[in-house]
Amino acid sequence: MVSLSEYELDVARKRLGRDPSPVEVKVIDALWSEHCSYKSSKIFLRSFPSEGPRVVMGIEDWQDAGAVDIGDGYAIVLKVESHNHPSAVDPFNGAATGVGGIIRDIISKGATPIALLDMIRVGELKDDKNKWLLKNIIAGIGFYGNSIGIPVVGGELSFDESFSDNPLVDVACVGIVKKDKIKPSVVKEPGLKLVLVGLTGIDGLGGASFASRKLSGENEIGAVQIADPFAGKIVMDVTLEIADKVEAIKDLGGGGLAVAVTEMANGLGARVYVDKVPLRVKDMSPEDIIISETQERMLFAVREENVEYVCKAFEYYEYPCAVIGEVTSDSFIRFIYEGKEIASLPSQLLLSPPLYAWPIREKARKINVKPNVELEQAVRSVLAHPDLASKEWAYSQFDYEVGTSTVVKPGEADSAVVSLPNGKLLAIKGDANPDLCAEDAYECGKAIFAEAYRNLAVVGARGIAAVDHLQFGDPKKPEIYSDFVDAVRGIGEAARFFSIPIVGGKVSFYNENKKGVAIKPTPLVVMAGLVEGKLLKPKVEEGSLVLIGYTRNEMRGSLFAKLFGPYGEVPKARLQEDYLASEVVLDLINQGTILFAKDVNRGGLMGSLMAILSKGYSAKVDPDRILGTDDLMAKLFSENGGRFIVITNSPESVVERAKRRGTIASVIGEVKKGNYLEIGSWKLNVKKEVEHHSNYLEVEMSD
């Protein structure tokens, strides 16, 4: 099955001046798939800021990952990808191969992978299928990361009915490389030999096309690749060993050889001898060899005198290595099988698909009605929500300390922190907010970028680079496309405000269930930053509780609104407040003034307090001291940005520092040992909620 429309086939015919052969149709389909071409998104993605003084390699055509200078001759390489459709069909292999693919993207830059993040969204666990999906997604991620020896240091796990049938499995990876050793994924001269390592099989056939249409449930298992982390370990180690001897490196991902060869040629031509490709399965058809997405394969552009060196390094491990062709100057991509040319297509045709800007239409907003809910019901319901539960059941299945570089571990803070070879500390975090994006994708785009920035600040880091992943339903549906355009606009605006370049990303459309119902719009931002002064490992202790920033009656898109119905206004991302509040936190960390810091996001103030309550402490809050709105529910549950809670023994210093930075802070209560939450004169024993927080996933997934 191909995803090309009749219009696109007609465009191809006109440009070629003839009918493409069946093999050529599959090659065009792979290159023009939404997954590989970004044909419905590229014109908007160009608005992202991608340059800056630290950027070594940004959003360039056909580069597999972005690179950012971190000083002392080093650069980090950053990338985010997803394996949503494969994980919906075969969650174990779908998730595992997502990890393998992102690792190969990093090593294609000559960089050593040092950390992984996983951001997972599934349907509610009352459904047995969702339990099955989650259990196998976690197992697949752990299987690959643990086996290959790269720590999974952080991530997200949240639940919503819109992700039933179509889970979201995002994986990000960070690598480290000497700046002068970064490898391109494209070539600039003809005559180089194309060297392929690894075996090609029948798994992953048409995967790029599969990812570019909605799930049907019919005969889709063949589009899912099979994971082999032990082969992946060989590929990683040897690729890094021979990187100095090659001119370009390309991972074989979506579209297989068809895409890898064409993108590596970068407007030049290539001649590929399909029958020289090492096969895992006998008697594969040439078109299947060309589009297979079998994992653990890499393509190298190599000078002839270095071919023997490269192949010997792989053959030492009995890993297949073969010269399958060469780069040519005639700007045609040619596939030859048993002496016969079975495909001959202009590079520019393959690299220039039709680009689309689909109609847009804003969604009608649900009626705004303030729910009639008692305080105790609201507090108990929010604190017990699965999104706020401990994720230890998941991250305990990952070896997050392998490599001995993990400094702040999963569950310890809002961001993970790893040590780098130059002695610096790198913080990384991924953030999304589907509920807010379903209300207002523009404000959501700004908000998730700002949240990532705040999450880095709580450990003492300042953001330096970001990548994004934009996940939506069918772009041809006007309301869905409107959300996509608005999210891009919001993310771009925030990136420009914070002067943080977006050095890479991904777009995933057609995320819908089998009934054609789309997921909630889920743009995701992964941000990396450097600890510039002191590192804070947030530690809950007795002390004064201080809230930094203004609280507003902006309840739309909040967890409270999800549980009890929409009311209030959509949170407006006031980026200046996010920046100023983050500067206050950074100042306080470097002064050694605070013991604990957490930004206010999911669940509002109550959600943030759960990080304190779950450690065996009580929190006493005076709502009259919360500055901003007079609405009690908004004071407790609003998720507007620009806010942090901190624990300190010097509350006056915190308030004064905020004032100097041009924002506000107020002492709203205190933290002591115990099991209580006090809000004014109201007091609640939260032992039951804390136990639920600690045990929820373990209990649910033990069935």
Side-chain angles (χ1 to χ4, degrees):
M1 184 185 295
V2 298
S3 61
L4 288 173
S5 67
E6 283 301 320
Y7 166 73
E8 289 167 341
L9 283 170
D10 191 50
V11 169
R13 291 187 194 101
K14 288 178 179 177
R15 291 190 191 175
L16 284 171
R18 61 177 175 80
D19 286 332
S21 70
V23 175
E24 290 174 331
V25 167
K26 289 196 172 184
V27 173
I28 296 169
D29 178 57
L31 269 298
W32 286 13
S33 66
E34 196 75 67
H35 182 77
C36 296
S37 73
Y38 300 87
K39 59 191 175 187
S40 294
S41 57
K42 184 173 283 189
I43 61 174
F44 295 100
L45 300 179
R46 290 168 179 160
S47 67
F48 282 156
S50 60
E51 298 179 349
R54 289 184 180 271
V55 177
V56 180
M57 183 175 288
I59 302 177
E60 301 177 29
D61 285 343
W62 326 130
Q63 298 292 354
D64 283 347
V68 182
D69 188 350
I70 58 166
D72 307 307
Y74 283 95
I76 59 163
V77 176
L78 185 63
K79 184 70 184 290
V80 63
E81 276 275 10
S82 71
H83 249 205
N84 301 338
H85 277 34
S87 297
V89 176
D90 180 350
F92 181 86
N93 279 300
T97 52
V99 175
I102 199 77
I103 289 170
R104 292 195 305 278
D105 284 333
I106 298 301
I107 64 175
S108 72
K109 301 291 95 192
T112 301
I114 58 172
L116 291 159
L117 298 177
D118 64 294
M119 286 66 64
I120 303 164
R121 288 172 173 82
V122 297
E124 296 175 3
L125 296 184
K126 62 185 179 182
D127 186 314
D128 287 341
K129 182 180 179 182
N130 291 328
K131 290 183 182 181
W132 172 77
L133 286 169
L134 179 58
K135 187 174 292 186
N136 283 280
I137 287 167
I138 295 295
I141 292 170
F143 169 66
Y144 208 103
N146 296 350
S147 298
I148 204 169
I150 300 171
V152 180
V153 298
E156 288 188 310
L157 175 56
S158 63
F159 307 90
D160 187 271
E161 266 312 292
S162 78
F163 304 119
S164 293
D165 284 343
N166 199 130
L168 300 187
V169 182
D170 292 293
V171 183
C173 189
V174 180
I176 189 79
V177 63
K178 283 281 191 178
K179 271 200 314 180
D180 58 357
K181 299 294 185 181
I182 295 174
K183 285 294 171 182
S185 297
V186 299
V187 298
K188 296 182 179 179
E189 60 180 301
L192 299 171
K193 297 298 182 182
L194 295 174
V195 176
L196 176 67
V197 300
L199 292 173
T200 298
I202 58 173
D203 54 316
L205 291 177
S209 181
F210 165 56
S212 303
R213 60 179 184 265
K214 63 190 69 177
L215 292 165
S216 68
E218 298 178 5
N219 301 318
E220 294 171 328
I221 191 68
V224 181
Q225 305 99 326
I226 305 300
D228 184 351
F230 305 104
K233 173 68 171 170
I234 294 172
V235 170
M236 179 177 71
D237 290 348
V238 180
T239 296
L240 296 175
E241 176 189 334
I242 57 91
D244 284 345
K245 297 294 185 179
V246 304
E247 306 307 307
I249 308 174
K250 188 78 177 172
D251 161 42
L252 267 80
L257 272 173
V259 171
V261 169
T262 305
E263 291 184 352
M264 178 178 273
N266 193 34
L268 292 173
R271 189 178 297 110
V272 178
Y273 300 95
V274 180
D275 41 355
K276 292 187 177 181
V277 173
L279 300 180
R280 180 181 293 162
V281 179
K282 291 182 178 180
D283 301 322
M284 284 182 66
S285 67
E287 58 265 39
D288 283 351
I289 297 172
I290 293 168
I291 65 168
S292 169
E293 296 178 13
T294 299
Q295 296 282 285
E296 283 73 59
R297 297 182 300 159
M298 299 291 282
L299 183 68
F300 304 101
V302 189
R303 297 191 185 281
E304 188 167 7
E305 61 268 25
N306 291 327
V307 168
E308 184 178 1
Y309 177 92
V310 170
C311 278
K312 276 189 174 181
F314 281 96
E315 289 165 357
Y316 175 83
Y317 296 95
E318 299 182 350
Y319 207 77
C321 179
V323 177
I324 63 166
E326 57 271 336
V327 180
T328 63
S329 60
D330 64 357
S331 298
F332 271 75
I333 305 298
R334 305 177 192 275
F335 290 97
I336 299 159
Y337 184 71
E338 295 182 345
K340 181 182 178 182
E341 192 171 85
I342 57 174
S344 178
L345 296 165
S347 293
Q348 285 308 312
L349 168 77
L350 296 174
L351 297 175
S352 304
L355 300 182
Y356 301 103
W358 301 104
I360 65 173
R361 181 176 64 243
E362 291 188 4
K363 292 178 292 193
R365 186 165 292 169
K366 294 179 181 178
I367 296 173
N368 194 344
V369 178
K370 185 173 182 177
N372 183 18
V373 55
E374 296 294 329
L375 178 60
E376 181 171 346
Q377 181 188 3
V379 170
R380 288 192 184 278
S381 297
V382 168
L383 293 185
H385 193 274
D387 281 7
L388 299 182
S390 168
K391 306 305 187 297
E392 186 175 1
W393 171 85
Y395 64 70
S396 65
Q397 298 182 53
F398 308 143
D399 188 348
Y400 47 79
E401 293 186 292
V402 64
T404 67
S405 64
T406 309
V407 177
V408 176
K409 304 167 188 174
E412 290 187 336
D414 285 341
S415 294
V417 179
V418 296
S419 61
L420 301 174
N422 62 354
K424 295 185 177 180
L425 297 175
L426 182 77
I428 43 178
K429 182 62 167 67
D431 281 299
N433 192 336
D435 290 326
L436 177 56
C437 284
E439 292 285 349
D440 189 321
Y442 166 65
E443 292 295 342
C444 177
K446 291 191 292 180
I448 60 173
F449 202 95
E451 183 181 347
Y453 189 86
R454 297 195 310 271
N455 282 332
L456 297 187
V458 300
V459 294
R462 194 186 305 275
I464 60 171
V467 292
D468 67 283
H469 191 209
L470 310 173
Q471 299 166 107
F472 297 84
D474 185 342
K476 301 182 188 68
K477 295 179 179 178
E479 291 183 353
I480 289 173
Y481 202 57
S482 178
D483 283 341
F484 164 75
V485 173
D486 284 347
V488 170
R489 189 162 57 95
I491 291 171
E493 184 175 321
R496 285 186 289 274
F497 175 86
F498 288 108
S499 296
I500 295 178
I502 297 174
V503 297
K506 187 67 182 172
V507 178
S508 175
F509 283 129
Y510 300 101
N511 290 289
E512 300 184 352
N513 65 23
K514 294 164 188 174
K515 297 179 181 178
V517 179
I519 63 165
K520 288 181 177 176
T522 312
L524 168 80
V525 169
V526 176
M527 191 177 293
L530 292 173
V531 176
E532 295 184 344
K534 292 182 179 179
L535 168 71
L536 177 67
K537 286 187 177 182
K539 185 178 180 182
V540 178
E541 293 186 7
E542 292 189 347
S544 296
L545 184 65
V546 181
L547 175 63
I548 300 170
Y550 292 90
T551 299
R552 292 181 167 85
N553 186 2
E554 296 178 336
M555 299 287 280
R556 303 288 292 217
S558 67
L559 181 54
F560 179 92
K562 181 175 184 173
L563 291 170
F564 301 111
Y567 95 98
E569 300 299 319
V570 171
K572 303 293 183 185
R574 299 166 179 87
L575 302 176
Q576 181 76 0
E577 293 185 10
D578 290 292
Y579 173 76
L580 292 174
S582 297
E583 288 296 302
V584 173
V585 171
L586 290 169
D587 289 347
L588 296 171
I589 290 172
N590 288 321
Q591 292 170 2
T593 307
I594 57 177
L595 308 166
F596 172 92
K598 187 178 190 332
D599 84 310
V600 178
N601 49 66
R602 192 66 166 159
L605 176 62
M606 288 297 101
S608 296
L609 287 178
M610 195 59 182
I612 294 172
L613 301 172
S614 64
K615 297 295 191 291
Y617 283 79
S618 294
K620 182 177 182 179
V621 175
D622 182 352
D624 292 335
R625 294 185 180 183
I626 298 173
L627 302 179
T629 179
D630 292 328
D631 185 300
L632 177 61
M633 291 301 184
K635 286 175 185 263
L636 302 180
F637 301 109
S638 175
E639 297 178 13
N640 71 275
R643 296 181 296 156
F644 295 85
I645 57 169
V646 301
I647 300 174
T648 178
N649 291 320
S650 304
E652 300 84 2
S653 299
V654 176
V655 173
E656 179 61 26
R657 176 53 57 180
K659 184 177 179 180
R660 288 186 183 183
R661 278 290 187 180
T663 185
I664 64 166
S666 55
V667 183
I668 64 169
E670 60 183 358
V671 174
K672 291 185 175 181
K673 279 281 189 179
N675 296 305
Y676 287 91
L677 171 64
E678 295 183 54
I679 302 172
S681 61
W682 181 79
K683 189 173 183 179
L684 177 69
N685 188 319
V686 293
K687 186 176 182 180
K688 180 180 178 182
E689 281 70 29
V690 169
E691 289 177 352
H692 179 275
H693 171 275
S694 301
N695 301 327
Y696 172 77
L697 279 174
E698 187 173 353
V699 170
E700 287 294 318
M701 302 304 290
S702 64
D703 294 341

